[in-house]
Amino acid sequence: MEELTCGEEEEVVLIKKTGATSVIWTWFGFKESDVEQKNIICKLCRATIIAKRGNTTNLFHHLKMKHVLEYEDSQKLRPPPQMASQSSGKKKGAPAPTHQQTDIVKAFSKGTPYEKKNRRWIDITNAITLYLCKDMVPFLTVEKSGFQNMIKTLDPRYEVPSRKHFSQTEVPKLYDKVREQVKNELRSIKYYATTTDLWSSRTMEPYISLTVHFINDEWKLCSRCLQTSYFPEDHTGELISQGLKEALESWGLKEELQVCITTDNGANIVKAVEINGWTRLQCFGHRLHLAIERSVKDARVEHAIGKCKKIVSAFSYTWKRKREMANAQAELNLPPHRLVTETPTRWGSRQQMIQRLLEQEKAISQVLKADRKTRHLVPTWQDIDVLESMNKTLSPLLEFTDALSGEEYVSVSTVKPVLHLLNNTVLPLADDDIDTELTKDMKTAILKYLNEKYSDVATDDLLDMASLVDPRFRSSYIADDRREFIFTKAAAEIQALLETQAVSATESPPSHTHTGAAGEAQREPKRSKRSLGSFLKNASAQPGPAALTDREAIKIELKSYLQALDVEGEADPLEWWRLHQANFPRVASLAKKYLCIPATSAPSERAFSTSGNIVTCHRSALKPETVDKLVFLAKNLG
């Protein structure tokens, strides 16, 4: 960079760049003698600036570094980038560009609402409907100013329809769509299990639920809540049985394909199942809950539990006592946990209440002793002894209840192993120095009740068959004197299944009308399985004891399955069957039949929990058919 001398500075007159439009040339120019205008000179400091090919970046940089005030003026005069690019693209004599007119059209279109046939309007409306149903949100939400402002910010052209439009048009349309999807899914299943229960809403309207459970072709355990129907009739066994039959018919489910129905021990439900002639499995959760209830019918236990409830209540309705509790926890280095309130309808909540009270016993006593009104609630050493005995007995049982209440994994085959563990590991009587008399009495009462209730022959057969086809257990938990019987029973059932499949294949040959290439690819394993069945059928047609040949082949496969490599207890039995179905195709069909049964009626309980989240105090006027649709969508939407 060169600078001119003072004498030259007075004589030189700088001229503007020819054809230049940038504001930067206010502070820069060229000598008159520089005809080609190659040497750019600053008018302020007379410095020569290099700027190749007319690029003005160096010129602005020079102002920014040397002449700050002039640089700020240049930025104020400098046009926005969009206008600069438009002006730079102009040529002398060229017509004015039409970009400005296009911008006006775009700006106008941004304020034009979508038509209801517009794809964008349909997509947003469907998304809002999914949100209302899946998250159990009131329809009134769409008319709230905050929600509408959010939608307007996301897309100004979308106008939110009224709540009436969603409740009367969009939700029924989505329900019909999802219902048809579920019905199509149910058409392909071979066997299924169900759970059912009765429930009353906060407005005392009675409902009956029905959930179905099955294993699909990919060996995934599926659960579908079919309905939560309004049931205003008397809850007699006869009417319930008829209602359940009609529910299965409405979904196209054949009764003969139902393996089992899992219910609680309500007398009317039990009678309904007996009237229909269905196989019933008693809910393990309810049985365990009743066993525990029977074991605590003791004056000492009732007194301790009663005081426990009063203590929890004393801390639940005053913020001052909660504050004092927090201070005591910090002083005694106890976890900052709140006390747990017992909920009669939730299994294990009493045990959780007892555990938390024992954990916080020192802090509780410190707070209660400081107030004359609550000193009588301080637990005595006798109360603590009783609660500790109960806690020692009941704590391990919580884990079993939770593990058997799932509906996304196999649970029925674990009932026999759990009963075995309760009898031999968890609840056996220990030495006098370890178990108190109360603990021994409770253990004895729980085991006696459970063993008595699960000694039923039909239930025992069902549970043995389920554990047999679980590769983790097989015959490990089947009584020695029953193994041969269960083995023979399994072989007979497999033969009956093969004969039923052969008849079904003959009566209804596979149709390719509605299937594409993907569907044909999915049916390949089925075709290979049917060809194996036809091979066995042809072999049985030869002279001689044909049925015996089939039975022998089944027995050989069963023995091979029982002698297969051991499977870890944490392994997924359905994943094992997915990988080994080709090795044991006959036994696999029996596994798919039995492993879909839930061990508890928790799926129906969860459906009612969903119902309670929908029929709130703000939505107590919902019609029963709307409740049914909303529960169905909340449970079955992906």
Side-chain angles (χ1 to χ4, degrees):
M1 186 180 298
E2 299 178 0
E3 293 186 2
L4 300 174
T5 63
C6 294
E8 290 177 326
E9 182 179 338
E10 294 176 356
E11 298 176 357
V12 174
V13 177
L14 300 180
I15 62 175
K16 191 176 181 181
K17 181 178 177 64
T18 305
T21 58
S22 175
V23 297
I24 196 63
W25 296 109
T26 306
W27 296 275
F28 294 89
F30 301 88
K31 293 181 182 179
E32 289 183 348
S33 59
D34 188 4
V35 179
E36 295 181 0
Q37 295 188 344
K38 291 184 177 180
N39 300 316
I40 306 172
I41 300 173
C42 175
K43 294 180 180 180
L44 302 174
C45 64
R46 298 294 172 166
T48 301
I49 312 299
I50 298 174
K52 296 181 179 180
R53 300 178 183 178
N55 195 317
T56 60
T57 303
N58 285 351
L59 307 183
F60 282 103
H61 179 71
H62 176 77
L63 282 186
K64 183 177 181 180
M65 300 302 295
K66 302 291 185 178
H67 317 289
V68 179
L69 296 178
E70 285 76 11
Y71 175 78
E72 292 176 355
D73 292 340
S74 71
Q75 295 304 306
K76 293 177 182 178
L77 297 173
R78 198 174 185 182
Q82 184 178 2
M83 293 181 61
S85 62
Q86 291 178 358
S87 61
S88 63
K90 290 182 180 179
K91 294 183 179 179
K92 289 184 179 181
T98 58
H99 298 300
Q100 188 174 3
Q101 184 65 26
T102 304
D103 291 340
I104 292 175
V105 173
K106 289 182 179 178
F108 180 74
S109 64
K110 286 183 179 179
T112 304
Y114 292 120
E115 295 182 359
K116 292 189 176 181
K117 294 182 180 180
N118 185 285
R119 183 72 254 175
R120 177 67 175 165
W121 187 91
I122 295 173
D123 290 342
I124 296 177
T125 303
N126 290 342
I128 295 175
T129 307
L130 180 67
Y131 160 69
L132 293 174
C133 297
K134 187 64 179 176
D135 292 349
M136 297 170 282
V137 180
F139 295 126
L140 181 62
T141 303
V142 300
E143 296 182 354
K144 296 284 188 179
S145 59
F147 181 85
Q148 293 194 344
N149 181 64
M150 178 184 67
I151 297 298
K152 188 63 66 178
T153 303
L154 294 174
D155 194 330
R157 297 183 60 189
Y158 180 80
E159 291 185 349
V160 183
S162 66
R163 60 176 174 176
K164 184 177 180 180
H165 175 80
F166 283 102
S167 63
Q168 298 186 5
T169 303
E170 296 299 333
V171 169
K173 184 168 62 175
L174 180 61
Y175 172 79
D176 293 339
K177 177 184 176 182
V178 178
R179 180 184 174 91
E180 189 60 30
Q181 291 174 353
V182 173
K183 288 189 74 172
N184 290 335
E185 195 176 17
L186 297 180
R187 289 191 185 102
S188 62
I189 62 175
K190 295 181 175 63
Y191 294 97
Y192 66 92
T194 56
T195 60
T196 188
D197 204 352
L198 294 160
W199 172 75
S200 295
S201 68
R202 63 174 56 247
T203 55
M204 298 313 296
E205 292 177 321
Y207 291 86
I208 185 170
S209 72
L210 180 67
T211 62
V212 63
H213 312 269
F214 59 93
I215 298 172
N216 63 17
D217 293 337
E218 287 73 36
W219 286 94
K220 297 293 183 182
L221 182 59
C222 303
S223 178
R224 300 288 179 264
C225 176
L226 299 186
Q227 58 190 57
T228 308
S229 301
Y230 184 52
F231 198 73
E233 295 85 2
D234 292 339
H235 294 173
T236 63
E238 291 77 9
L239 292 177
I240 293 174
S241 67
Q242 185 62 30
L244 293 175
K245 276 179 170 288
E246 292 175 356
L248 294 182
E249 290 175 2
S250 68
W251 287 92
L253 293 171
K254 298 180 180 179
E255 289 184 48
E256 58 269 22
L257 300 182
Q258 180 177 243
V259 185
C260 177
I261 182 170
T262 305
T263 73
D264 60 16
N265 60 332
N268 50 358
I269 292 287
V270 174
K271 184 177 181 180
V273 175
E274 291 177 353
I275 291 173
N276 289 339
W278 296 346
T279 302
R280 172 181 169 269
L281 178 65
Q282 48 196 307
C283 171
F284 184 84
H286 279 91
R287 285 301 182 196
L288 184 59
H289 183 70
L290 288 174
I292 294 173
E293 288 294 320
R294 289 171 179 265
S295 70
V296 298
K297 291 190 178 300
D298 182 280
R300 296 169 298 168
V301 174
E302 292 179 355
H303 178 270
I305 293 176
K307 178 171 284 191
C308 199
K309 292 179 180 179
K310 291 178 181 179
I311 292 173
V312 173
S313 178
F315 283 90
S316 298
Y317 300 104
T318 166
W319 64 268
K320 290 184 178 180
R321 205 164 286 141
K322 287 183 178 180
R323 181 187 62 189
E324 294 169 358
M325 176 76 167
N327 294 334
Q329 288 172 333
E331 180 182 340
L332 298 169
N333 294 321
L334 294 174
H337 296 159
R338 294 185 178 183
L339 300 183
V340 177
T341 303
E342 179 187 11
T343 304
T345 57
R346 195 174 78 235
W347 305 328
S349 61
R350 173 180 292 179
Q351 177 57 27
Q352 292 170 348
M353 177 182 69
I354 293 173
Q355 282 182 341
R356 185 58 54 80
L357 185 138
L358 292 173
E359 176 192 271
Q360 302 291 334
E361 187 263 330
K362 292 182 179 179
I364 292 171
S365 298
Q366 179 174 314
V367 175
L368 295 179
K369 288 178 181 178
D371 188 348
R372 289 186 303 171
K373 297 180 180 179
T374 58
R375 287 176 185 172
H376 67 284
L377 294 177
V378 176
T380 63
W381 65 268
Q382 294 94 336
D383 295 328
I384 297 300
D385 281 349
V386 171
L387 294 176
E388 286 179 345
S389 297
M390 292 181 62
N391 185 55
K392 181 180 180 181
T393 304
L394 304 181
S395 288
L397 303 182
L398 283 177
E399 299 179 1
F400 291 113
T401 304
D402 295 338
L404 288 170
S405 298
E407 54 185 301
E408 296 180 354
Y409 52 85
V410 174
S411 58
V412 65
S413 58
T414 60
V415 173
K416 266 299 185 72
V418 165
L419 290 173
H420 177 82
L421 286 174
L422 294 180
N423 279 280
N424 297 278
T425 305
V426 179
L427 296 177
L429 300 182
D431 298 334
D432 294 339
D433 296 337
I434 298 177
D435 283 346
T436 64
E437 288 301 321
L438 178 60
T439 300
K440 291 180 180 179
D441 292 343
M442 291 180 64
K443 287 182 176 181
T444 302
I446 292 173
L447 287 177
K448 180 180 179 182
Y449 180 84
L450 290 177
N451 291 330
E452 177 184 336
K453 293 302 178 182
Y454 282 97
S455 62
D456 176 69
V457 176
T459 302
D460 203 23
D461 290 349
L462 178 69
L463 297 178
D464 281 341
M465 290 291 287
S467 62
L468 178 71
V469 294
D470 190 322
R472 298 172 296 177
F473 311 126
R474 296 173 187 158
S475 59
S476 300
Y477 296 98
I478 301 176
D480 294 339
D481 58 346
R482 285 177 52 82
R483 288 183 180 176
E484 187 61 32
F485 167 74
I486 294 298
F487 185 87
T488 304
K489 179 178 173 63
E493 280 207 39
I494 292 174
Q495 186 172 10
L497 291 177
L498 294 176
E499 292 174 356
T500 302
Q501 291 176 6
V503 172
S504 300
T506 303
E507 294 178 350
S508 55
S511 172
H512 302 276
T513 306
H514 302 288
T515 338
E520 293 177 2
Q522 292 176 356
R523 282 200 303 272
E524 284 300 325
K526 293 185 179 179
R527 286 203 296 269
S528 62
K529 192 187 297 184
R530 286 196 295 270
S531 63
L532 178 60
S534 64
F535 171 77
L536 293 174
K537 185 177 180 180
N538 293 335
S540 65
Q542 297 177 0
L548 180 61
T549 304
D550 286 344
R551 181 62 66 88
E552 287 299 322
I554 293 170
K555 287 184 176 181
I556 291 173
E557 184 176 309
L558 261 174
K559 289 180 180 178
S560 299
Y561 161 72
L562 294 175
Q563 296 171 359
L565 294 175
D566 293 337
V567 181
E568 294 182 1
E570 295 294 327
D572 182 0
L574 297 184
E575 178 63 17
W576 187 93
W577 273 115
R578 187 183 69 82
L579 297 175
H580 297 83
Q581 178 180 3
N583 299 331
F584 312 105
R586 302 175 184 85
V587 184
S589 62
L590 193 65
K592 189 170 287 189
K593 175 180 179 180
Y594 278 98
L595 294 182
C596 66
I597 303 171
T600 70
S601 60
S604 291
E605 301 285 349
R606 293 189 182 99
F608 289 144
S609 295
T610 301
S611 305
N613 292 331
I614 291 173
V615 188
T616 62
C617 57
H618 296 292
R619 307 178 77 187
S620 57
L622 283 174
K623 295 181 179 179
E625 56 268 26
T626 304
V627 173
D628 184 21
K629 291 177 181 178
L630 291 176
V631 174
F632 175 84
L633 290 172
K635 297 294 293 182
N636 294 307
L637 282 171

